Every structure is written in C-alpha cells, then in structure tokens.
Amino acid sequence: MTVPPPVHPPPVAPAAREFEAVYQAEFDVVMAYFARRTADPQTAADLTADTFVAAITSFGTFDRTRGTARSWLLGIARRVFAQHCETVSRGRDVVVRMNGRRVLSGDEIDDLVGRIDAERKGRELVAAMASLPALDREVVELVDLVGMTPKEAAAVLGVSSGALRIRLFRARGKIRDLAPKGDR
C-alpha cells in the first residue's frame, strides 16, 4: 500500500503579504473616501472593491519611492470614482450592476450606513466647498479630511507640492468665508 505524499500549501509570495498589509491598513481610508461621495452603501462598497481590484492588478508597478501606499490607493480611487461618474452619467449603471455585483447582506448594509453616517460632516464640508474649483476641493479633502501631507496629496493629484500648498491656503480662506459664523 502506497502512502500519498503530504500536501503542503504553496508559500505565500512576499508581494501578496505586502498587499495584504496595505489592504488592511488603508481599507477604511478608501471606504471613507467613497462614503463622502455617496450615501448609497452598495455604491460605496462596489467602488471600494473596484479600487482594490485595480490596486492588486497593478501592485507590481507600485513604487514606494514615489509616494505612500495611501496616496497611490487614493489616486486609484479617484480614477475609479471618475469612471463611475462617467458611467452613471451615460446611463450604463443598470447594466454594470446586473453583471456580477454581489448584493450586500443586511449586516453589511448596516455597517456601511454607519460608516456613511460617520462621514456626514465630511459630506457637508464637501457640499459647502461646491463653489470651489474641483482641484481645490480635492486638495482640501485629501489634506484636511484624509490627513495626507501636502506632498502626498500633490502626488495623488499630479501637481507640484508648491502649487498644492498655494491652492490649499486659498481654498481654506474661501471655506472660512463661506462657513456660517457659528462654525468658524
């Protein structure tokens, strides 16, 4: 009687472990990014998933010398959201939802509703900033809401650190002028 050889699981590649660490560390940041942009839990979950799918497929090109994992992921999230907006504006959203989207369970929806509610102040700030140019809004969000350094935010947005700092200073001044006197 022959004994089959023992089965050993394949070793986990260092890149897979590194991506898992990035995923664990930055998931909440990416989810919050989308929770500030939509009140729909399913959309926030789908966009977050799309961001990490795009990230894992391009993780081999991620270069830590060019910026942090957070700035890299938020750059991807920004593109995912722009693509989502374009899809919605063209009326293709229904077709995309029907093709392979997982419906969330009640517990998942409750969790996402909580996350979205927690970002209410952030959505209010984003709404108050509607009169600002789009790039200025993103600068304030990345630095003041996400907590990125101006250098990291500049990398996400593809502008110089100096230009970003000027935009941030001016945008904050405009926001102070727009804010109700009780909020200043």
Side-chain angles (χ1 to χ4, degrees), residues 20-89:
E20 183 178 1
V22 167
Y23 175 82
Q24 294 293 327
E26 305 301 339
F27 178 85
D28 287 339
V29 171
V30 173
M31 178 61 76
Y33 179 84
F34 291 119
R36 282 189 294 276
R37 286 164 171 70
T38 181
D40 177 39
Q42 187 71 51
T43 300
D46 288 346
L47 293 173
T48 301
D50 291 347
T51 298
F52 282 104
V53 167
I56 200 166
T57 59
S58 64
F59 192 67
T61 64
F62 171 55
D63 181 4
R64 287 194 180 275
T65 63
R66 295 185 62 209
T68 65
R70 179 173 289 179
S71 60
W72 175 70
L73 279 171
L74 288 174
I76 293 171
R78 196 169 166 250
R79 288 187 296 280
V80 166
F81 188 69
Q83 185 178 25
H84 166 75
C85 290
E86 182 180 327
T87 300
V88 169
S89 70

Side-chain angles (χ1 to χ4, degrees), residues 13 19-21 80-81 93 102 109 115-116 118 135 172 174:
F19 182 80
E20 183 178 1
V80 166
F81 188 69
D93 190 42
R102 178 177 73 85
I109 289 175
R115 288 175 187 256
I116 288 169
L135 188 58
R172 285 176 174 165
K174 289 176 187 175

Side-chain angles (χ1 to χ4, degrees), residues 60-169:
T61 64
F62 171 55
D63 181 4
R64 287 194 180 275
T65 63
R66 295 185 62 209
T68 65
R70 179 173 289 179
S71 60
W72 175 70
L73 279 171
L74 288 174
I76 293 171
R78 196 169 166 250
R79 288 187 296 280
V80 166
F81 188 69
Q83 185 178 25
H84 166 75
C85 290
E86 182 180 327
T87 300
V88 169
S89 70
R90 291 192 177 157
R92 291 183 275 166
D93 190 42
V94 174
V95 174
V96 171
R97 285 177 177 259
M98 302 299 270
N99 291 327
R101 298 292 180 162
R102 178 177 73 85
V103 177
L104 298 175
S105 71
D107 290 340
E108 290 171 313
I109 289 175
D110 290 343
D111 179 52
L112 285 173
V113 166
R115 288 175 187 256
I116 288 169
D117 189 47
E119 294 298 331
R120 182 174 4 104
K121 290 261 188 226
R123 277 195 310 280
E124 290 170 1
L125 176 59
V126 169
M129 298 184 318
S131 65
L132 298 176
L135 188 58
D136 289 357
R137 287 192 305 265
E138 289 191 77
V139 165
V140 170
E141 180 184 6
L142 292 175
V143 174
D144 293 339
L145 295 178
V146 174
M148 295 182 112
T149 65
K151 183 178 179 181
E152 292 170 329
V156 169
L157 299 173
V159 298
S160 72
S161 293
L164 184 122
R165 288 177 193 278
I166 291 169
R167 283 186 176 278
L168 181 61
F169 176 78

